[in-house]
């Protein structure tokens, strides 16, 4: 059966009646982005539904697969749209039923009528269409409770829509409707997943990554660019800000006792992220921290690290088990890149015995011996920004002519 439309349902969006137009417009634009570079479709949205009109030669399965992954989409169905004429509806019902025709299978017709002016009652329409299908396809039988197939018919104001498949969508809210956050992106497994998790709730992200060349390699930097690229494929353009962190890291190792260097390193990252977030008008930081996973992620460590900022910090993976995070990373396609063995700045400078319960006053006192404020300012001035969008990337740093 050739379907002429894909029906896109919004689900949760319906709750937000005040912002509905903004949500629908954003979702429409996100769906168009997800469909690049496919052809043969047109996205049509109205207040409570979206239809994607598809041409004869369009790859309907691929279009549906991509739409179903867009955040804010509740479910999708391939549909046949016909005029609200009983003969046309009957004909379409039979054609659709032929598609689900397997000997011995059961079916039922489920009709909904939002156009009350339509001359057939729901029950009558079900009877007529069920009878018509049985007339043309002998080895199907009707079963009202729990049939193998359901043929759904919706009589709406503009037309009649028929379908039998409902494919679950990604849920959540359309990216771009929830404000902006700054994601602290390492090359590890967790932070890309954390980024996708907040995007699922409608938030846009920019990413910040700290690197320490020559201790960290060009490959490690490329890995983070690749991870951002994968996230940008899913959820729209993402800016990646690369912070030169070498000098600060060296200074920490000169000034702070070894077992507190980790705490101090995280605090400096957080201070930079905090200042930079304000510059780009991001309203929160996001990281991939997970309670108790490693020394820097105990409650005691979080307390000492968190003390440098009063921005909200979103930790969507806080209570996940590692296996759950790995499953998600595989789903979003970042896992294979994340496990590439290029070390990031934290791995290289990891102390042998980091404090799991660092004392805030001690850390502060060691740090106060150096003018970290000035170093932080220099690091922020040296930020290189790369914008990643679907299948392409452009560089717009102050140093772009040197790259
Ligand atoms: P990940 O897999 O995201 O690296 P992890 O379990 O390895 O997480 P850590 O290395 O302790 O944990 O990092 C905790 C969080 O700190 C990361 O999820 C990330 O948000 C942030 N982070 C760590 N290193 C960097 C970095 N080099 N640049 C930016 N953010 C970082
Ligand atoms: Mg890590």
């Amino acid at each position: 059966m050739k379907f002429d439309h894909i029906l896109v349902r919004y689900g949760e969006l319906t709750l937000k009646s005040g912002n509905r137009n903004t949500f629908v417009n954003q979702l429409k634009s996100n769906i168009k982005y997800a469909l690049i570079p496919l052809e043969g479709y047109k996205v049509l949205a109205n207040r409570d539904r979206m239809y994607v009109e598809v041409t004869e030669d369009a790859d309907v399965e691929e279009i549906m697969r991509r739409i179903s992954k867009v955040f804010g989409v509740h479910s999708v169905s391939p549909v046949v749209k016909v005029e609200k004429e009983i003969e046309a509806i009957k004909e379409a019902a039979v054609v659709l039923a032929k598609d689900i025709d397997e000997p011995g299978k059961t079916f039922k017709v489920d009709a909904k009528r939002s156009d009350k002016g339509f001359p057939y009652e729901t029950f009558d329409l079900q009877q007529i269409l069920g009878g018509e299908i049985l007339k043309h396809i002998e080895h199907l039988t009707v079963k009202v409770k729990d049939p193998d197939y359901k043929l759904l018919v919706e009589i709406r104001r503009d037309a009649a829509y028929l379908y039998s498949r409902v494919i679950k969508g990604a849920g959540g809210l359309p990216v771009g409707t929830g404000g902006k956050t700054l994601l602290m992106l390492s090359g590890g497994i967790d932070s890309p997943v954390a980024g996708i998790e907040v995007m699922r709730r409608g938030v846009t992200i920019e990413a910040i990554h700290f690197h320490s060349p020559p201790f960290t390699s060009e490959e490690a930097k490329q890995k983070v660019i690749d991870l951002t690229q994968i996230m940008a494929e899913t959820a729209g353009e993402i800016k990646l800000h690369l912070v030169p962190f070498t000098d600060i890291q060296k200074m920490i190792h000169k000034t702070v006792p070894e077992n507190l260097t980790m705490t101090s390193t995280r605090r400096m990252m957080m201070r930079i992220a905090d200042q930079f977030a304000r510059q780009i008008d991001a309203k929160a930081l996001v990281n991939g921290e997970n309670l108790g996973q490693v020394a820097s992620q105990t409650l005691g460590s979080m307390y000492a690290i968190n003390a440098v900022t009063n921005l909200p910090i979103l930790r969507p993976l806080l209570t996940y088990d590692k296996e759950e995070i790995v499953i998600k990373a595989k789903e979003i396609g970042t896992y294979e890149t994340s496990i590439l063995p290029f070390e990031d700045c934290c791995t290289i400078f990891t102390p042998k015995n980091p404090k799991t319960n660092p004392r805030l006053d001690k850390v502060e006192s060691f740090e106060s011996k150096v003018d970290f404020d000035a170093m932080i300012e220099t690091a922020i001035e040296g930020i290189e920004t790369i914008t990643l969008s679907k299948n392409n990337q452009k560089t717009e740093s102050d140093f772009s002519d040197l790259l």
Side-chain angles (χ1 to χ4, degrees):
M1 173 84 218
K2 274 285 170 199
F3 296 96
D4 46 38
H5 286 77
I6 295 164
L7 166 60
V8 182
R9 299 178 191 83
Y10 309 152
E12 197 171 344
L13 277 189
T14 46
L15 301 173
K16 311 255 175 187
S17 52
N19 305 326
R20 198 181 194 108
N21 280 348
T22 323
F23 278 70
V24 172
N25 288 338
Q26 186 68 53
L27 185 65
K28 187 174 172 186
S29 118
N30 295 356
I31 285 179
K32 285 182 174 174
Y33 180 87
L35 293 178
I36 297 170
L38 303 180
E39 282 179 8
Y41 61 86
K42 194 166 155 195
V43 184
L44 312 160
N46 63 31
R47 266 185 66 79
D48 52 0
R49 285 267 172 109
M50 191 178 294
Y51 291 99
V52 178
E53 194 180 295
V54 287
T55 58
E56 282 262 327
D57 49 357
D59 184 347
V60 178
E61 288 301 321
E62 178 60 13
I63 293 176
M64 280 197 301
R65 192 188 68 78
R66 290 190 187 203
I67 296 177
S68 69
K69 287 180 182 283
V70 173
F71 297 136
V73 172
H74 187 71
S75 64
V76 297
S77 292
V79 301
V80 179
K81 178 180 178 181
V82 293
E83 291 203 10
K84 286 184 296 180
E85 282 292 327
I86 192 70
E87 288 309 318
I89 298 171
K90 272 158 73 175
E91 197 181 317
V94 172
V95 176
L96 256 177
K98 279 193 174 141
D99 233 24
I100 57 175
D101 176 18
E102 274 175 61
K105 292 286 178 190
T106 57
F107 82 101
K108 81 166 180 183
V109 178
D110 235 341
K112 265 192 231 160
R113 197 176 61 137
S114 55
D115 174 10
K116 301 292 175 207
F118 187 69
Y120 297 86
E121 296 277 344
T122 309
F123 181 76
D124 297 339
L125 187 59
Q126 289 172 177
Q127 296 288 313
I128 294 170
L129 297 178
E132 188 71 12
I133 290 170
L134 290 173
K135 202 160 83 187
H136 287 85
I137 310 166
E138 284 163 5
H139 43 252
L140 286 182
T141 43
V142 175
K143 190 174 170 211
V144 176
K145 211 172 163 216
D146 230 1
D148 297 321
Y149 292 107
K150 259 194 238 171
L151 177 67
L152 297 114
V153 182
E154 292 187 15
I155 310 293
R156 297 180 75 87
R157 213 168 308 146
D158 60 330
Y161 295 89
L162 295 90
Y163 56 92
S164 60
R165 280 167 71 197
V166 179
I167 299 149
K168 198 172 177 319
L173 299 166
V175 178
T177 55
K180 185 167 38 173
T181 58
L182 182 62
L183 169 68
M184 300 177 72
L185 182 64
S186 71
I189 296 170
D190 303 341
S191 39
V193 177
I196 297 283
E197 286 290 296
V198 292
M199 286 194 263
R200 235 179 77 75
R201 296 311 302 170
V203 163
T204 35
I205 58 167
E206 295 195 16
I208 189 166
H209 174 72
F210 300 87
H211 65 147
S212 301
F215 303 105
T216 56
S217 63
E218 203 43 44
E219 286 99 326
K221 173 177 161 184
Q222 186 59 44
K223 178 176 167 184
V224 175
I225 297 174
D226 293 345
L227 287 171
T228 313
Q229 174 71 49
I230 298 169
M231 291 196 282
E233 298 282 335
T234 323
E237 189 174 279
I238 299 176
K239 283 194 172 122
L240 168 64
H241 307 282
L242 295 151
V243 186
F245 200 54
T246 319
D247 292 344
I248 292 180
Q249 234 172 342
K250 279 186 180 162
M251 186 55 82
I252 291 169
H253 282 262
K254 248 196 246 168
T255 334
V256 176
E258 203 200 344
N259 59 4
L260 284 175
T261 54
M262 162 104 79
T263 312
S264 222
T265 305
R266 300 300 169 140
R267 283 165 54 87
M268 295 303 156
M269 285 185 178
M270 199 68 103
R271 280 171 69 174
I272 293 173
D274 174 286
Q275 280 191 31
F276 191 69
R278 292 173 204 276
Q279 277 183 28
I280 61 167
D281 201 25
K283 296 286 188 290
L285 302 176
V286 181
N287 67 29
E289 282 175 349
N290 185 261
L291 196 56
Q293 201 184 70
V294 287
S296 62
Q297 298 178 26
T298 58
L299 265 188
S301 280
M302 281 185 199
Y303 176 79
I305 296 165
N306 229 157
V308 298
T309 178
N310 56 18
L311 281 178
I313 300 183
L314 310 182
R315 298 181 175 88
L317 309 185
L318 192 73
T319 58
Y320 282 39
D321 288 339
K322 193 74 187 183
E323 302 89 82
E324 295 175 273
I325 302 173
V326 166
I327 291 171
K328 288 205 177 261
K330 286 182 177 165
E331 265 169 29
I332 63 175
T334 50
Y335 182 74
E336 294 302 325
T337 307
S338 286
I339 58 171
L340 292 172
F342 308 120
E343 295 188 288
D344 76 7
C345 57
C346 300
T347 337
I348 288 171
F349 287 88
T350 305
K352 277 185 222 77
N353 296 305
K355 277 238 182 273
T356 51
N357 206 4
R359 270 188 44 198
L360 181 58
D361 56 344
K362 280 202 170 169
V363 188
E364 282 174 345
S365 126
F366 286 116
E367 286 174 3
S368 69
K369 299 196 173 89
V370 173
D371 185 4
F372 277 111
D373 282 348
M375 296 188 82
I376 286 172
E377 206 168 299
T378 310
I380 291 178
E381 278 163 13
I383 286 179
E384 174 196 347
T385 297
I386 303 176
T387 304
L388 294 130
S389 58
K390 218 175 162 105
N391 298 321
N392 75 8
Q393 98 188 37
K394 51 183 194 275
T395 304
E396 41 166 83
S397 88
D398 292 340
F399 312 111
S400 54
D401 47 345
L402 300 175
L403 289 172

